[in-house]
Amino acid sequence: MKNNKDLPAEEHSGPLMADVARLAGVAISTVSRALANPGRVNEKTRVKIDAAAKQLGYTPNAMARGLRVGKSNVVMIILPGSLYYGVSQVIPLVLQGINRSLSQNGYHLMIANLDRDEASERHILDLAFGGTVRGAIILSSDLPVDGGRSLKDSALPIVSLLFDMSHAALPSVVTNDRQAVREATAELLALGHRRFLYLAGPQGNYHDNERYLGAVEALAAAGLPETAIVRSGGSLDYQHGFQIGVAAATEFADLILKPTAVIATSDDMAISFMSCVQRMGWKIPTDLSIVSFDGAPVCEYSLPPLSTIEQPVEEMGQMAVNLLMERIDAPDKVTAQRHVIESKLIRRESFGPAPSNV
Amino acid sequence: MKNNKDLPAEEHSGPLMADVARLAGVAISTVSRALANPGRVNEKTRVKIDAAAKQLGYTPNAMARGLRVGKSNVVMIILPGSLYYGVSQVIPLVLQGINRSLSQNGYHLMIANLDRDEASERHILDLAFGGTVRGAIILSSDLPVDGGRSLKDSALPIVSLLFDMSHAALPSVVTNDRQAVREATAELLALGHRRFLYLAGPQGNYHDNERYLGAVEALAAAGLPETAIVRSGGSLDYQHGFQIGVAAATEFADLILKPTAVIATSDDMAISFMSCVQRMGWKIPTDLSIVSFDGAPVCEYSLPPLSTIEQPVEEMGQMAVNLLMERIDAPDKVTAQRHVIESKLIRRESFGPAPSNV
DNA sequence: TTGTAAGCGTTATCAC
DNA sequence: GTGATAACGCTTACAA
């Protein structure tokens, strides 16, 4: 109604580069240059243009630029399907670390998905192949595939965070899951523990595998058989890690020969497990020591405070962004594939000597 | 190097609509129609085109479409600056609810910020005025402003989530903070509690204000003066809600006349507070009842399980998306401004009768 | 140093 | 029902 021409413009209506050019009395290309390469334009005209732009409240249209230069300034993060397993407590921290680094590099962060159903996979691939995003960070999960397309066929720079995908030629930022658990287990062994309960995540999961192996290796090094550790959980049916802990507590209660130490694959399950067994009457750490993985801030305030292996997720997120930037800047340059940032055990009161009456 | 023409195309290289057209032996405009309005093209050609598109693995370029139609299919969420206050535990749930709804409507979710410093505000406004996003959901915070520009000057459809911003003509999805706290406080009064401690968030914060007033109103209704409630916390210096709880525990320990019930503005602070006072020797709920706000899943597994007022954040997120979609579809239609979705108190064991020896 | 003009990959208008 | 063609707002050779 406002225009007699019925062009799609109607909507957005903000000032255009052409408006700035007109107001400043220069050509549109000069405005473009002044804004992008302030150095390559006469100081006086630059000032004039800046003033005009400011006066009009001009903001360049990102899609037009993106189309022209064939690049976007958006990076997507691909999240694992079940939000509540494993990484759940740390997701805000991860997003924070990543987004902050991206911002500093002039990029925006798009969440590609929160589920991993078929629709989401297609969604993700549309973003990749449709030129919407410039790169991807894939968090603790596998590469999305849909019909014929797979993310790895796109030319998109991709970095894997938390999963080691270096075998698939993806630069990966991981932590030393296995070693950290091995060391934590060794500490428990040194405290006299000889029977363990392991709270597992979904079977076959990278983290679960690594962490479990860490425990087993520590046992082996101490001359103990793998049977010294009882595995619990691991079903994919559980939405929340919390529920795994609850189920595991029941399992624990039924064991004839009680373990004296529990190693949990994630904080969620450790927290609910600890809560349940204490309500059943066991004392922590007198009867039972507990250690878990993730380093969620809330662990410090459970009763007793929960020992956890803290992953420096914020730092890992930044590292992932740095790698991605390198990839974007030099797509062909071959870089080191696997970057390990060490997690460290935070010993708190859930961690003590084995009961003497074992 | 691969091309003799040095056009910016180099990068993306995927198949174009023109390629599909060539392979299908039709004009490019027919392809466009076939893909967007399958009904308005002959069935046989449609099949031919679909086949060609599939064979080439064609994905339309979102930026080109966006530029042409003057709309993007991206919605941004603006998060509050300090991630750890209040909404922290709930952010993954909020994102989940929002992203799922957006996906169903064919939109993508972009995170606008995780800090709220000057750079972020500018960032946000660039997204808004640069045509990158089609709408915004602002979570529990105020409208971003930078230099001359303010988000409210953009023509962008905006919905406020958790904050009531209906006074600023923003459709708002909120919960009944005040009423829910009033009712919870009334229950505590019915249990014989007469002296309260309130753990506050940043002074002047919308939620803090509402929730505190809810407590005060309940006291008034019971004929108690406002002095029956001691306010603690409220400093903006604390990054984590957890730290507010820790500080408040010290404060509590120093009070001559001990409150018998604690009302916390967020789960974070209740969890750390409860942990600290128990370690100092108080029994919960024997000596002290605690209730908090947010409904973080972890509350169920604290010791004792923490009573909390649960906000249906996932539902609220969906509602916000629905309102946003309405705004996008009919920007001029005046709609109801304020939508309340009720929180409900989940009574758990942290909640009991006042000690008899008061 | 600045202006002219072509073109990024779509969609929409118009003829046919 | 389908095909030419002009735009969307910007960047970048190239010419001046």
Side-chain angles (χ1 to χ4, degrees), chain A residues 90-121:
Chain A
V90 274
I91 283 208
L93 284 176
V94 173
L95 293 180
Q96 182 152 25
I98 290 178
N99 195 56
R100 193 169 290 153
S101 303
L102 283 178
S103 281
Q104 285 163 6
N105 286 281
Y107 285 84
H108 298 290
L109 179 62
M110 178 172 276
I111 295 190
N113 69 300
L114 278 160
D115 300 295
R116 278 305 275 281
D117 51 15
E118 199 184 325
S120 302
E121 303 278 294

Short mmCIF file of all heavy atoms in Angstrom, two decimals, chain A residues 90-121:
data_model
loop_
_atom_site.label_atom_id
_atom_site.label_comp_id
_atom_site.label_asym_id
_atom_site.label_seq_id
_atom_site.Cartn_x
_atom_site.Cartn_y
_atom_site.Cartn_z
N VAL A 90 26.68 -29.54 31.07
CA VAL A 90 27.74 -28.64 30.63
C VAL A 90 27.40 -27.89 29.35
O VAL A 90 28.15 -27.04 28.91
CB VAL A 90 29.06 -29.40 30.44
CG1 VAL A 90 29.79 -29.49 31.72
CG2 VAL A 90 28.87 -30.74 29.84
N ILE A 91 26.24 -28.19 28.79
CA ILE A 91 25.90 -27.55 27.53
C ILE A 91 25.94 -26.02 27.57
O ILE A 91 26.51 -25.40 26.68
CB ILE A 91 24.55 -28.06 27.00
CG1 ILE A 91 24.78 -29.45 26.39
CG2 ILE A 91 23.95 -27.11 25.97
CD1 ILE A 91 23.83 -29.82 25.30
N PRO A 92 25.36 -25.41 28.59
CA PRO A 92 25.45 -23.95 28.61
C PRO A 92 26.89 -23.45 28.59
O PRO A 92 27.21 -22.49 27.89
CB PRO A 92 24.75 -23.58 29.93
CG PRO A 92 23.82 -24.70 30.20
CD PRO A 92 24.53 -25.94 29.67
N LEU A 93 27.76 -24.14 29.31
CA LEU A 93 29.17 -23.74 29.32
C LEU A 93 29.81 -23.90 27.95
O LEU A 93 30.58 -23.06 27.50
CB LEU A 93 29.95 -24.58 30.34
CG LEU A 93 29.75 -24.21 31.80
CD1 LEU A 93 30.50 -25.19 32.69
CD2 LEU A 93 30.24 -22.80 32.05
N VAL A 94 29.49 -25.00 27.30
CA VAL A 94 30.04 -25.23 25.97
C VAL A 94 29.58 -24.13 25.01
O VAL A 94 30.38 -23.53 24.30
CB VAL A 94 29.58 -26.60 25.42
CG1 VAL A 94 30.00 -26.76 23.97
CG2 VAL A 94 30.14 -27.72 26.25
N LEU A 95 28.29 -23.88 25.02
CA LEU A 95 27.75 -22.85 24.13
C LEU A 95 28.40 -21.51 24.41
O LEU A 95 28.74 -20.76 23.49
CB LEU A 95 26.24 -22.74 24.31
CG LEU A 95 25.42 -23.95 23.87
CD1 LEU A 95 23.94 -23.70 24.09
CD2 LEU A 95 25.68 -24.28 22.39
N GLN A 96 28.59 -21.24 25.68
CA GLN A 96 29.18 -19.97 26.06
C GLN A 96 30.59 -19.82 25.51
O GLN A 96 30.93 -18.81 24.89
CB GLN A 96 29.18 -19.85 27.58
CG GLN A 96 29.73 -18.54 28.10
CD GLN A 96 29.10 -18.21 29.44
OE1 GLN A 96 28.64 -19.09 30.17
NE2 GLN A 96 29.07 -16.94 29.76
N GLY A 97 31.39 -20.86 25.72
CA GLY A 97 32.77 -20.80 25.24
C GLY A 97 32.82 -20.65 23.73
O GLY A 97 33.57 -19.82 23.20
N ILE A 98 32.02 -21.42 23.05
CA ILE A 98 32.03 -21.38 21.59
C ILE A 98 31.53 -20.05 21.07
O ILE A 98 32.14 -19.43 20.20
CB ILE A 98 31.16 -22.53 21.03
CG1 ILE A 98 31.85 -23.87 21.29
CG2 ILE A 98 30.90 -22.33 19.55
CD1 ILE A 98 31.06 -25.05 20.82
N ASN A 99 30.42 -19.62 21.63
CA ASN A 99 29.82 -18.40 21.09
C ASN A 99 30.72 -17.20 21.31
O ASN A 99 30.83 -16.33 20.45
CB ASN A 99 28.46 -18.16 21.73
CG ASN A 99 27.65 -17.14 20.97
OD1 ASN A 99 27.42 -17.31 19.78
ND2 ASN A 99 27.25 -16.08 21.63
N ARG A 100 31.36 -17.18 22.45
CA ARG A 100 32.24 -16.03 22.74
C ARG A 100 33.38 -15.98 21.72
O ARG A 100 33.67 -14.93 21.15
CB ARG A 100 32.77 -16.14 24.16
CG ARG A 100 33.41 -14.89 24.66
CD ARG A 100 33.67 -14.95 26.14
NE ARG A 100 32.44 -14.91 26.93
CZ ARG A 100 32.32 -15.45 28.14
NH1 ARG A 100 33.34 -16.07 28.69
NH2 ARG A 100 31.19 -15.36 28.80
N SER A 101 33.99 -17.12 21.49
CA SER A 101 35.09 -17.15 20.52
C SER A 101 34.62 -16.80 19.12
O SER A 101 35.30 -16.08 18.39
CB SER A 101 35.72 -18.54 20.48
OG SER A 101 36.17 -18.91 21.76
N LEU A 102 33.48 -17.32 18.76
CA LEU A 102 32.96 -17.02 17.43
C LEU A 102 32.71 -15.53 17.26
O LEU A 102 33.06 -14.94 16.24
CB LEU A 102 31.67 -17.80 17.17
CG LEU A 102 31.81 -19.27 16.84
CD1 LEU A 102 30.44 -19.91 16.66
CD2 LEU A 102 32.65 -19.48 15.58
N SER A 103 32.12 -14.95 18.26
CA SER A 103 31.83 -13.52 18.20
C SER A 103 33.10 -12.72 17.95
O SER A 103 33.13 -11.81 17.11
CB SER A 103 31.22 -13.04 19.51
OG SER A 103 29.86 -13.37 19.56
N GLN A 104 34.15 -13.11 18.67
CA GLN A 104 35.41 -12.38 18.51
C GLN A 104 35.93 -12.48 17.09
O GLN A 104 36.66 -11.63 16.61
CB GLN A 104 36.45 -12.92 19.49
CG GLN A 104 36.20 -12.46 20.91
CD GLN A 104 36.95 -13.30 21.92
OE1 GLN A 104 37.74 -14.16 21.56
NE2 GLN A 104 36.71 -13.04 23.20
N ASN A 105 35.54 -13.55 16.41
CA ASN A 105 35.99 -13.72 15.04
C ASN A 105 34.95 -13.23 14.03
O ASN A 105 35.09 -13.46 12.83
CB ASN A 105 36.28 -15.20 14.78
CG ASN A 105 37.57 -15.65 15.44
OD1 ASN A 105 38.65 -15.40 14.92
ND2 ASN A 105 37.47 -16.27 16.60
N GLY A 106 33.91 -12.60 14.54
CA GLY A 106 32.91 -12.06 13.64
C GLY A 106 31.89 -13.06 13.13
O GLY A 106 31.21 -12.80 12.13
N TYR A 107 31.77 -14.17 13.80
CA TYR A 107 30.80 -15.17 13.38
C TYR A 107 29.63 -15.26 14.35
O TYR A 107 29.74 -14.88 15.52
CB TYR A 107 31.46 -16.55 13.26
CG TYR A 107 32.33 -16.68 12.03
CD1 TYR A 107 33.65 -16.25 12.03
CD2 TYR A 107 31.82 -17.22 10.86
CE1 TYR A 107 34.44 -16.35 10.91
CE2 TYR A 107 32.60 -17.33 9.72
CZ TYR A 107 33.91 -16.90 9.76
OH TYR A 107 34.68 -17.01 8.63
N HIS A 108 28.53 -15.80 13.83
CA HIS A 108 27.37 -16.04 14.67
C HIS A 108 27.18 -17.53 14.87
O HIS A 108 27.60 -18.34 14.04
CB HIS A 108 26.13 -15.45 14.02
CG HIS A 108 26.19 -13.97 13.84
ND1 HIS A 108 26.14 -13.09 14.88
CD2 HIS A 108 26.36 -13.22 12.73
CE1 HIS A 108 26.24 -11.86 14.42
NE2 HIS A 108 26.38 -11.90 13.12
N LEU A 109 26.51 -17.88 15.95
CA LEU A 109 26.31 -19.30 16.25
C LEU A 109 24.86 -19.70 16.03
O LEU A 109 23.94 -19.07 16.54
CB LEU A 109 26.67 -19.59 17.71
CG LEU A 109 26.48 -21.03 18.16
CD1 LEU A 109 27.37 -21.98 17.36
CD2 LEU A 109 26.76 -21.18 19.64
N MET A 110 24.69 -20.75 15.24
CA MET A 110 23.35 -21.27 15.01
C MET A 110 23.26 -22.66 15.61
O MET A 110 24.17 -23.47 15.45
CB MET A 110 23.09 -21.32 13.52
CG MET A 110 21.74 -21.88 13.16
SD MET A 110 21.41 -21.68 11.40
CE MET A 110 20.79 -20.02 11.36
N ILE A 111 22.16 -22.91 16.29
CA ILE A 111 21.94 -24.25 16.82
C ILE A 111 21.28 -25.07 15.72
O ILE A 111 20.21 -24.72 15.24
CB ILE A 111 21.03 -24.20 18.05
CG1 ILE A 111 21.74 -23.46 19.17
CG2 ILE A 111 20.65 -25.60 18.48
CD1 ILE A 111 21.03 -23.56 20.48
N ALA A 112 21.94 -26.11 15.32
CA ALA A 112 21.43 -26.85 14.18
C ALA A 112 20.27 -27.76 14.58
O ALA A 112 19.38 -28.03 13.77
CB ALA A 112 22.54 -27.69 13.56
N ASN A 113 20.28 -28.21 15.80
CA ASN A 113 19.31 -29.24 16.19
C ASN A 113 19.30 -29.42 17.69
O ASN A 113 20.23 -29.02 18.38
CB ASN A 113 19.75 -30.57 15.59
CG ASN A 113 21.01 -31.05 16.28
OD1 ASN A 113 22.02 -30.37 16.25
ND2 ASN A 113 20.94 -32.18 16.93
N LEU A 114 18.28 -30.04 18.19
CA LEU A 114 18.32 -30.50 19.58
C LEU A 114 17.90 -31.96 19.65
O LEU A 114 18.13 -32.64 20.62
CB LEU A 114 17.46 -29.63 20.48
CG LEU A 114 18.21 -28.37 20.89
CD1 LEU A 114 17.28 -27.28 21.35
CD2 LEU A 114 19.21 -28.67 22.00
N ASP A 115 17.26 -32.42 18.60
CA ASP A 115 17.00 -33.85 18.50
C ASP A 115 17.93 -34.37 17.41
O ASP A 115 18.63 -33.62 16.76
CB ASP A 115 15.54 -34.10 18.11
CG ASP A 115 14.60 -33.52 19.14
OD1 ASP A 115 14.63 -34.01 20.27
OD2 ASP A 115 13.87 -32.58 18.82
N ARG A 116 17.89 -35.66 17.23
CA ARG A 116 18.63 -36.23 16.11
C ARG A 116 17.73 -37.21 15.36
O ARG A 116 18.14 -38.30 15.01
CB ARG A 116 19.91 -36.93 16.60
CG ARG A 116 21.07 -35.99 16.85
CD ARG A 116 21.43 -35.11 15.68
NE ARG A 116 22.33 -35.73 14.73
CZ ARG A 116 23.63 -35.85 14.91
NH1 ARG A 116 24.20 -35.40 15.98
NH2 ARG A 116 24.37 -36.42 13.99
N ASP A 117 16.51 -36.79 15.14
CA ASP A 117 15.62 -37.62 14.33
C ASP A 117 15.84 -37.30 12.85
O ASP A 117 16.67 -36.47 12.50
CB ASP A 117 14.17 -37.40 14.74
CG ASP A 117 13.82 -35.93 14.76
OD1 ASP A 117 14.59 -35.11 14.19
OD2 ASP A 117 12.79 -35.57 15.34
N GLU A 118 15.04 -37.94 12.02
CA GLU A 118 15.28 -37.79 10.59
C GLU A 118 15.09 -36.35 10.13
O GLU A 118 15.88 -35.82 9.34
CB GLU A 118 14.32 -38.71 9.82
CG GLU A 118 14.78 -38.99 8.41
CD GLU A 118 13.76 -39.82 7.64
OE1 GLU A 118 13.12 -40.68 8.27
OE2 GLU A 118 13.62 -39.58 6.43
N ALA A 119 14.06 -35.72 10.65
CA ALA A 119 13.80 -34.33 10.26
C ALA A 119 14.99 -33.44 10.62
O ALA A 119 15.39 -32.58 9.84
CB ALA A 119 12.53 -33.83 10.94
N SER A 120 15.55 -33.66 11.79
CA SER A 120 16.68 -32.84 12.21
C SER A 120 17.89 -33.06 11.32
O SER A 120 18.60 -32.10 10.97
CB SER A 120 17.08 -33.17 13.65
OG SER A 120 15.99 -32.98 14.50
N GLU A 121 18.13 -34.28 10.97
CA GLU A 121 19.29 -34.57 10.13
C GLU A 121 19.14 -33.83 8.80
O GLU A 121 20.09 -33.24 8.29
CB GLU A 121 19.40 -36.08 9.86
CG GLU A 121 19.49 -36.94 11.11
CD GLU A 121 20.89 -37.03 11.69
OE1 GLU A 121 21.77 -37.60 11.04
OE2 GLU A 121 21.10 -36.51 12.80
#
